[in-house]
Amino acid sequence: MHFFAAMTRFQAFQLHLIASAAIGGILLGLLWFLLYPAPLFRAMGGMEILFLLLGVDVTLGPFLTLVIFNVEKKSLRFDLFVVATLQLVALIYGAHALFIGRPVYVAALGHRFDLIAASDVDAAELAVAGKTLPWFGVEWVGTRHATDPKEKERILFSAIGGFDYGYFPQHHVALDSMRAELLAKAHPVSNLINLNPGRSEELRAWLAAHNRNETNTVYQGLKARGEDMSVMINKSTGEVVGVVAFKPTYLHHAP
């Protein structure tokens, strides 16, 4: 008698569901804590892909098992193998999409920050810079303007298409070198309260959790693929405090 002989259809469904949920939970943990530290998963628009991925992995696979499971079927093992294979292929495809779409840089332009995905950084630009992409988490960087006229023109046309200096690692500099500029072009936190009505207490709670308040903190906008957010900055030192999921006001182009 093979492994499934003593199982009912519902027991097979339960077993498949538990295994799928465990795998989905592990994947979610890896994404949430290593590749997309909160709230960057939301900023990158990864929730849609994740829901689709978990929908296939946690829901569709077990329900297919529920439909096809019958211990009397001679082809049961093959049928279950096909379901598991399709489920694995979908899982690998979705995980790969999330991996190459992971955020790798938060780049300061002076007047705003850009959140940049691994898939948006050209390998040739990395080679020019002599760098490799971060594997886990994001790297906070500053940027410097090109001095060569042709390079300036190239970046200008690229920026019109949405790819500014942050997408070119050869123009990255230490974020600390831009603190004065960040402060000079930052906005008061009170703007966020006006831009996000009904969420003032949520914002104040975030500030309190980071030992900040409205008077000693300013912000700049974070331009992202999925949802624009705000980068909170220490008003005294220019150091980045963190990212908050509040709609910002920011300049698309440097003044």
Side-chain angles (χ1 to χ4, degrees), residues 13-196:
F13 166 77
Q14 283 183 311
L15 180 62
H16 196 165
L17 181 64
I18 291 171
S20 298
I23 294 172
I26 292 171
L27 177 62
L28 177 60
L30 291 173
L31 292 171
W32 195 264
F33 294 106
L34 294 180
L35 298 183
Y36 291 81
L40 300 187
F41 197 80
R42 175 175 164 183
M44 291 300 295
M47 297 302 294
E48 293 82 1
I49 298 176
L50 179 64
F51 287 147
L52 177 62
L53 179 63
L54 293 183
V56 172
D57 179 61
V58 179
T59 306
L60 184 58
F63 271 103
L64 284 175
T65 295
L66 183 64
V67 170
I68 68 171
F69 192 87
N70 183 346
V71 293
E72 302 298 326
K73 289 176 64 177
K74 294 182 179 181
S75 62
L76 179 60
R77 287 188 178 184
F78 177 77
D79 291 347
L80 292 175
F81 172 77
V82 171
V83 170
T85 300
L86 291 174
Q87 192 175 3
L88 181 61
V89 169
L91 181 66
I92 292 173
Y93 176 81
H96 179 259
L98 288 168
F99 180 75
I100 64 174
R102 73 191 187 279
V104 288
Y105 297 119
V106 180
L109 301 181
H111 60 295
R112 75 157 192 261
F113 289 79
D114 280 350
L115 181 59
I116 299 165
S119 56
D120 288 332
V121 182
D122 193 282
E125 305 296 340
L126 281 168
V128 171
K131 294 182 177 180
T132 58
L133 293 175
W135 281 81
F136 303 108
V138 295
E139 182 179 344
W140 289 76
V141 298
T143 56
R144 64 184 171 201
H145 283 206
T147 55
D148 178 73
K150 289 185 178 180
E151 180 68 357
K152 289 178 70 173
E153 183 179 7
R154 183 174 79 99
I155 302 297
L156 174 62
F157 280 105
S158 176
I160 293 173
F163 298 90
D164 218 310
Y165 276 96
Y167 291 83
F168 301 88
Q170 64 269 38
H171 295 293
H172 290 177
V173 296
L175 182 60
D176 288 350
S177 66
M178 297 186 67
R179 287 185 183 182
E181 185 177 2
L182 294 178
L183 288 174
K185 298 177 180 178
H187 308 282
V189 170
S190 57
N191 284 13
L192 285 181
I193 295 176
N194 295 330
L195 287 164
N196 298 268

Side-chain angles (χ1 to χ4, degrees), residues 194-238:
N194 295 330
L195 287 164
N196 298 268
R199 300 182 63 193
S200 58
E201 291 306 314
E202 182 183 347
L203 178 59
R204 293 187 179 105
W206 188 96
L207 290 169
H210 292 78
N211 298 314
R212 311 301 303 165
N213 58 53
E214 294 176 52
T215 60
N216 61 19
T217 309
V218 291
Y219 81 95
Q220 284 197 7
L222 174 69
K223 186 180 179 184
R225 177 186 294 176
E227 180 181 343
D228 295 334
M229 295 186 176
S230 299
V231 176
M232 310 301 279
I233 302 169
N234 186 313
K235 189 176 181 179
S236 300
T237 66

